[in-house]
Amino acid sequence: MSRSIRVMFIGGMALGMQVANAQQADAPLQKVEVTGSRIPTLNTDGTSPIVVLGAKDIKTDGVRNVESLLNNLPQAFAAQTGNVVNGSTGTATVDLRGLGSNRTLVLVNGHRLPAGSPGSSAADLNQIPTPLIKRIEVLTGGAGAVYGADAVAGVVNFIMNDRFEGVQIELNGSGYNHKQQGTAGVSSLVAGRAATNPAQFAVPGNKGLDGRSKDASLLIGGNFGDGKGNATLFFSYKQDDALLQSERDFTACSLSASAAGFACGGSGTNATGRFTNTKTGKVYTTDANGTPRLFNNALDQYNFGPINHLQRPDERYGVAASARYDVSEKLKVYADFAFHDDRTDAQIAPGGIFGNVYTIKGDNPLLTPAMKAAMSLNSPTDTTDVVIQRRNVEGGGRDALFTNTSYRMLMGVKGDIGNWNYDLFAQTSKVRYSGSSNNYFSKERGAKALDVVNVNGVAQCASFVNGTDLACVPYNPWQLGKITPEQLAYIQIPGQSFGQTEQQIQGGNVAADLGEYGIKIPGNSNGVGVSFGFERRVEALTLNPDGPSQNFDLDGSGGPVKPVSGRYVVKDIFGEVRLPLLENKPFAESLGANLSYRHTDIDTGVKANTYGLGMDWQPVSMVKVRASHQKAVRAPNINELFSPAGNNLYDNDADPCAGAKPTATLAQCANTGVTAAQYGNIQDSPAGQYNYLAGGNPKLNPETSKSNTIGLVLTPIRNLTVTVDYFDIKVNDTISNVQPTTTLDKCLNTGNPVFCSKITRDRLGTLWLLPQASIVGTNTNIGSLKTSGIDLAASYGQKIGAYGSLGFSVTGTLLKTFEVEELPGDGSYDCVGLYNGAGKCGQPRPKWRHKARVNWNTPWATDLALTWRYFQGVDIETTSSNPLLHGTALDVEKHFASANYIDLAASYNVTKKITLSGGINNLFDRDPPITSKYGTGSGNGNTFPSMYDSMGRKLFLNMTAKF
């Protein structure tokens, strides 16, 4: 077996294994370092399961975004991707086992990546250029003792092509072809609304090719110093086009659901205005004549979906360089440099005025007599407090622009001293961030622009008249068609924020085979392997928003952006021992153990010890048993520790105390601050979004986790490998917040002041309309997470005579449990087979997922591949019998059917130096499952586009030329 194939099977399974590789002549055996261990060894089978993706697998997948490539694996769940819009950080992240991207450690050639941006502690996968990846090794299960903090759910290690000779040019292009299919009847709903409101509703036509993406890269490398050294230089460019939700029929309106089925819902902050008279409680809208009428939720809500991005536009530049030089047989020096500049923007529905209280005067000349009467302004001297909501449809969508620029430099020296090998390195990384929030109204300016007085029959700002703001222009939401560019120029302002993350690491380790000193377990030819090391890591983060962002002056921004600044130093010492216990014995061709330990000291006062125990036993040549037990920790990151408190948004189906017929009793609602006069008269949030107070906590303790794996590797016949691995991971003292929905439910049902004291309603009784409304949800150590399941994988290759060879591979995960204990002692709930993006379980967690592939390596310079991606169906969480989840389940979104995607790919060697490849993903153009409970974050456009194929049939083409 060649070294390349040995590496591909690092204790796990390589997808799309090519049988032709197995026929290569054996290369000289070399000791290699396996992900999950720092001890170089000839045995590349580890004690923990690892899935490997090679460069050819990556091209076959036809995916150029690293996060989407990883999300195709059953072990990964969607996190930040290019399909996340509302809640985007402008980064791309990976989430192993669904435990959170901040619990997955990302490495490049075994070295840690920095925090992706001031808004995201997880590593940004946009820093990793896809064309430069040699392979990806995904270790699931804790590895904290080997790699340090954050390796709770596992490790993703990107092995890059850092040794190359020649010139390689790679060009890629892709796009989506889609036929509108009327899924879930949404297109009929949109067509019905378009008849009366064509400005907001339109059924899109079929798409030939949209959502396009293109990238190009150049790799140059060569040897020097009589072959002792090698240097490579890499350049890349990538561009993704925007795709709006208006371009797919199932995302062309924002859905609501009821017993009658889906309907086009939306937001109460609408295009024609929503005016609440606080004296009468009546809610009005207006028309082109300024004539008020009562607000009708069914007709007047704003369809915020179409203008939202379904795919964010993105432009990225990258540069990488590496150098290796063998000073002698015993001394090697190396250096790596990486740079990336990524610019993306997330567009959501227009901003405007989102429910602030304004005092309106009876002599305001912008109001018609009918509107004055509706606002209880019966004389010129009367005043009324009015809650005003109105979309800035004239100014366009709110646009959040993210620019992340990273620099990473690594220098090191490695070699041998006697029988010991060593590796010393220093790495420095920095990510510079700039962000802007555009097309937002200023609350301060809005208040001035609506404080209008009558000056000889002419509307003037009171602030203009008294000289405090001579630039003020009166804003007129009272009559359609009266918004002018001058009004927008005054009231619209941008928000700006700048910051950076920094990471500095110095470390080293030494390793040896003590067998060279005669230290062996009696009866074994292999000696005891050891590795010892140290690491010092500095993490720093700053975020500096401008005044309007800090002061929550941007209307509709969800909450203030507070400045953050923090730094901590981590000092680690670690060690590892490999013990060959038995070999060439009856029922023990080999039996070995691996022990690892790490002591962590953080200058925030945290000290922690982590360890790992591993065992592998091969009773006969075709059977191997492996097992591991790991204890890991995750220290709180800077944002979790130091972010100042400020309002944010959470999702909920409804406020039980709102509406004409609240679902909660008056006594229950009184617990949350509702008065008898407010009961039955509280407006609910049409968009299902409410305020909560988020923020850090400097007194947080580290999370602790324990993970266990036990697996079986079978090679019953030549070219067939089957692996079965059970995993069980539990995280205690999770750093999180008590969900606002839980706090609200507990207060309603128990009246416990611990919960009720955290709820503040605004003066209108709502939990969303005015900034005063909020539920406290700041960070704390509380509850636990537990997940368990079985990973199954198989790979088989077979020659087919003159027709080449076939390769079969499959990797799948059977999810047994995903238990969340939100409050200690309050019980837990299991989210396996459930979803609710606006609830507790979040994105879908199918019980079974798999990715299967058939490769045909033909003798005609052509390779073909067929891939089947499968997601078992899931149910809405409220179908669960668990009282923490159980609730109303509407038939229209009770169940997501199983999703099946068929992908085709082919490659053709035009010459020995030029290869063309391409393919079609989602061959049959399947639409994703549809729901109104998609929430924000990974949910978008009535579905979960980071998990399910949501844009249609993807066509892709690649050209690679090597010289």
Side-chain angles (χ1 to χ4, degrees):
M1 181 179 281
S2 73
R3 179 178 180 273
S4 62
I5 293 297
R6 288 197 308 275
V7 171
M8 292 290 279
F9 275 94
I10 305 171
M13 184 57 58
L15 295 179
M17 188 192 90
Q18 305 302 309
V19 178
N21 289 342
Q23 312 306 317
Q24 298 170 359
D26 281 352
L29 293 176
Q30 302 176 45
K31 289 187 176 183
V32 296
E33 190 173 293
V34 176
T35 297
S37 174
R38 295 183 184 272
I39 302 176
T41 176
L42 294 174
N43 178 14
T44 56
D45 288 340
T47 59
S48 296
I50 298 179
V51 174
V52 180
L53 289 174
K56 188 165 186 177
D57 302 313
I58 295 171
K59 285 189 177 180
T60 301
D61 276 358
V63 176
R64 307 303 295 173
N65 293 320
V66 175
E67 73 276 16
S68 299
L69 179 70
L70 292 172
N71 287 341
N72 281 338
L73 296 176
Q75 295 83 359
F77 285 76
Q80 286 285 328
T81 72
N83 302 115
V84 175
V85 181
N86 198 351
S88 171
T89 62
T91 63
T93 58
V94 58
D95 177 6
L96 292 180
R97 301 298 188 197
L99 294 174
S101 55
N102 56 353
R103 299 183 181 98
T104 298
L105 181 62
V106 178
L107 309 174
V108 171
N109 291 334
H111 296 283
R112 179 187 292 256
L113 281 184
S117 82
S120 173
S121 63
D124 184 6
L125 301 181
N126 290 329
Q127 297 179 21
I128 301 171
T130 304
L132 203 58
I133 298 173
K134 183 186 298 184
R135 67 180 184 275
I136 307 172
E137 299 173 0
V138 181
L139 182 151
T140 54
V146 176
Y147 295 112
D150 302 336
V152 173
V155 175
V156 180
N157 191 8
F158 293 88
I159 308 301
M160 311 303 286
N161 189 358
D162 57 4
R163 186 178 291 272
F164 182 77
E165 287 186 83
V167 177
Q168 176 177 293
I169 300 172
E170 189 169 337
L171 304 174
N172 292 276
S174 66
Y176 293 93
N177 168 267
H178 181 65
K179 180 180 179 181
Q180 312 293 351
Q181 300 169 27
T183 296
V186 180
S187 60
S188 297
L189 296 173
V190 175
R193 295 295 301 275
T196 57
N197 191 355
Q200 291 186 37
F201 296 89
V203 179
N206 297 330
K207 304 298 176 182
L209 196 70
D210 63 5
R212 300 183 185 188
S213 178
K214 59 187 178 183
D215 68 83
S217 65
L218 171 66
L219 176 61
I220 305 170
N223 292 335
F224 61 89
D226 296 326
K228 293 181 179 180
N230 180 270
T232 64
L233 188 61
F234 173 83
F235 303 93
S236 65
Y237 173 79
K238 185 175 185 295
Q239 183 181 46
D240 298 330
D241 290 347
L243 185 64
L244 296 177
Q245 292 182 22
S246 60
E247 303 305 309
R248 297 295 182 267
D249 58 359
F250 55 85
T251 60
C253 82
S254 46
L255 292 177
S256 62
S258 68
F262 284 131
C264 286
S267 168
T269 302
N270 72 339
T272 60
R274 178 184 171 112
F275 310 100
T276 302
N277 183 338
T278 60
K279 290 181 178 179
T280 65
K282 292 184 178 181
V283 184
Y284 298 89
T285 188
T286 189
D287 61 16
N289 298 316
T291 303
R293 64 170 173 81
L294 291 176
F295 191 91
N296 185 329
N297 277 336
L299 299 176
D300 297 327
Q301 289 183 9
Y302 179 72
N303 182 20
F304 57 79
I307 201 169
N308 287 19
H309 282 142
L310 185 58
Q311 173 179 282
R312 299 196 321 263
D314 187 277
E315 186 174 37
R316 187 180 313 153
Y317 298 87
V319 178
S322 63
R324 306 286 184 272
Y325 184 72
D326 298 344
V327 179
S328 68
E329 291 185 1
K330 300 290 187 180
L331 177 62
K332 303 176 182 180
V333 294
Y334 60 92
D336 291 323
F337 170 79
F339 163 87
H340 104 295
D341 181 82
D342 184 86
R343 178 187 175 97
T344 184
D345 65 285
Q347 179 175 285
I348 58 176
I353 300 174
F354 280 80
N356 300 305
V357 177
Y358 302 92
T359 301
I360 307 301
K361 299 179 177 65
D363 66 344
N364 186 334
L366 299 179
L367 275 66
T368 63
M371 183 62 77
K372 290 180 181 180
M375 296 297 110
S376 302
L377 298 171
N378 300 315
S379 73
T381 59
D382 284 347
T383 61
T384 298
D385 285 349
V386 179
V387 179
I388 299 178
Q389 299 165 261
R390 206 239 186 226
R391 288 279 170 178
N392 178 27
V393 291
E394 297 82 5
R398 286 167 288 173
D399 191 62
L401 178 63
F402 304 93
T403 301
N404 288 298
T405 305
S406 72
Y407 310 83
R408 185 169 56 87
M409 292 175 284
L410 170 73
M411 297 184 67
V413 56
K414 62 173 59 177
D416 301 312
I417 299 177
N419 296 318
W420 292 78
N421 62 67
Y422 64 90
D423 186 355
L424 299 171
F425 73 93
Q427 176 178 281
T428 181
S429 306
K430 179 178 289 187
V431 179
R432 294 188 180 275
Y433 163 81
S434 66
S436 64
S437 301
N438 302 313
N439 296 336
Y440 282 82
F441 275 10
S442 162
K443 291 181 182 179
E444 179 183 1
R445 294 188 180 187
K448 293 179 180 179
L450 286 164
D451 185 9
V452 175
V453 296
N454 190 328
V455 180
N456 299 320
V458 177
Q460 295 280 9
C461 296
S463 59
F464 177 84
V465 174
N466 63 30
T468 58
D469 188 349
L470 298 179
C472 182
V473 179
Y475 181 66
N476 186 2
W478 306 103
Q479 192 172 348
L480 300 186
K482 296 299 183 180
I483 307 297
T484 67
E486 292 77 17
Q487 294 175 25
L488 295 182
Y490 171 73
I491 202 170
Q492 278 188 173
I493 63 169
Q496 303 284 337
S497 58
F498 303 90
Q500 65 183 29
T501 71
E502 294 183 83
Q503 182 190 79
Q504 295 186 8
I505 306 176
Q506 303 86 36
N509 68 280
V510 295
D513 182 351
L514 300 184
E516 301 293 336
Y517 301 98
I519 302 176
K520 303 177 181 180
I521 304 295
N524 287 272
S525 60
N526 294 313
V528 173
V530 295
S531 174
F532 306 101
F534 72 94
E535 185 175 282
R536 180 183 184 273
R537 176 165 53 95
V538 180
E539 300 279 0
L541 180 150
T542 58
L543 178 63
N544 297 302
D546 62 7
S549 300
Q550 289 189 46
N551 300 328
F552 196 15
D553 189 43
L554 303 182
D555 211 340
S557 61
V561 180
K562 297 292 188 178
V564 182
S565 180
R567 177 183 183 272
Y568 60 80
V569 180
V570 183
K571 297 178 182 178
D572 289 338
I573 56 172
F574 52 86
E576 188 178 353
V577 179
R578 187 190 67 243
L579 299 171
L581 301 175
L582 294 173
E583 63 180 46
N584 299 322
K585 304 293 183 183
F587 298 104
E589 288 197 4
S590 68
L591 175 66
N594 188 279
L595 312 175
S596 55
Y597 170 81
R598 176 179 291 252
H599 175 74
T600 298
D601 189 342
I602 307 177
D603 67 355
T604 58
V606 172
K607 298 181 186 295
N609 298 301
T610 58
Y611 61 84
L613 308 173
M615 183 77 70
D616 61 271
W617 170 43
Q618 189 163 9
V620 293
S621 60
M622 65 179 62
V623 177
K624 182 173 182 177
V625 179
R626 58 192 178 191
S628 68
H629 172 76
Q630 304 272 349
K631 178 190 174 185
V633 297
R634 186 184 77 84
N637 59 56
I638 293 173
N639 276 315
E640 291 168 334
L641 288 168
F642 305 121
S643 291
N647 266 5
N648 211 316
L649 297 176
Y650 73 94
D651 298 310
N652 199 1
D653 293 342
D655 176 358
C657 298
K661 296 181 180 179
T663 58
T665 68
L666 173 58
Q668 289 176 314
C669 293
N671 293 336
T672 72
V674 174
T675 67
Q678 292 171 336
Y679 187 74
N681 298 298
I682 296 174
Q683 298 183 52
D684 203 1
S685 170
Q689 292 184 321
Y690 304 83
N691 299 339
Y692 84 100
L693 189 70
N697 179 356
K699 297 182 180 180
L700 291 172
N701 294 316
E703 297 178 342
T704 61
S705 74
K706 291 184 178 180
S707 63
N708 300 286
T709 65
I710 183 168
L712 186 66
V713 182
L714 303 174
T715 54
I717 60 175
R718 185 180 182 185
N719 293 331
L720 172 63
T721 300
V722 178
T723 66
V724 182
D725 289 281
Y726 170 81
F727 64 89
D728 182 304
I729 306 172
K730 184 172 183 180
V731 185
N732 290 312
D733 299 320
T734 52
I735 298 172
S736 184
N737 65 328
V738 179
Q739 293 192 27
T741 53
T742 298
T743 299
L744 181 61
D745 290 343
K746 291 289 186 183
C747 177
L748 285 168
N749 296 318
T750 69
N752 188 332
V754 171
F755 298 100
C756 296
S757 63
K758 299 184 181 299
I759 300 173
T760 302
R761 291 182 178 270
D762 60 31
R763 66 175 183 166
L764 301 177
T766 83
L767 291 171
W768 64 281
L769 193 52
L770 303 181
Q772 294 75 29
S774 72
I775 297 178
V776 176
T778 51
N779 292 334
T780 186
N781 287 102
I782 195 164
S784 65
L785 294 171
K786 180 182 179 182
T787 185
S788 66
I790 299 173
D791 291 331
L792 296 100
S795 182
Y796 176 67
Q798 178 64 53
K799 279 187 165 184
I800 50 176
Y803 297 99
S805 61
L806 290 176
F808 304 86
S809 66
V810 61
T811 179
T813 296
L814 179 68
L815 189 60
K816 301 290 289 182
T817 61
F818 192 92
E819 294 181 1
V820 180
E821 182 190 42
E822 191 175 347
L823 296 171
D826 198 45
S828 62
Y829 52 87
D830 192 345
C831 290
V832 172
L834 303 176
Y835 86 95
N836 188 349
K840 295 181 180 293
C841 286
Q843 64 179 296
R845 302 187 188 276
K847 189 170 185 178
W848 172 256
R849 291 172 58 186
H850 73 239
K851 179 181 180 182
R853 177 168 292 167
V854 178
N855 294 86
W856 178 21
N857 302 325
T858 77
W860 306 296
T862 301
D863 292 341
L864 303 173
L866 182 147
T867 303
W868 172 26
R869 294 176 287 125
Y870 174 79
F871 301 82
Q872 188 173 339
V874 295
D875 296 321
I876 190 77
E877 67 180 33
T878 50
T879 60
S880 170
S881 59
N882 189 313
L884 296 175
L885 297 177
H886 185 70
T888 302
L890 300 171
D891 289 340
V892 71
E893 55 190 358
K894 180 184 293 185
H895 178 72
F896 280 1
S898 298
N900 292 273
Y901 301 108
I902 301 298
D903 307 331
L904 291 178
S907 65
Y908 174 66
N909 297 324
V910 180
T911 68
K912 290 183 178 180
K913 297 181 178 179
I914 299 176
T915 300
L916 291 178
S917 61
I920 306 174
N921 291 344
N922 189 9
L923 178 66
F924 298 110
D925 193 17
R926 302 293 189 192
D927 277 353
I930 301 301
T931 180
S932 69
K933 302 297 189 298
Y934 58 90
T936 54
S938 61
N940 186 27
N942 303 324
T943 188
F944 297 89
S946 300
M947 181 173 182
Y948 299 105
D949 289 28
S950 61
M951 292 177 285
R953 180 186 292 113
K954 182 176 184 178
L955 313 177
F956 63 91
L957 185 65
N958 166 274
M959 188 277 288
T960 303
K962 297 180 180 180
F963 306 98

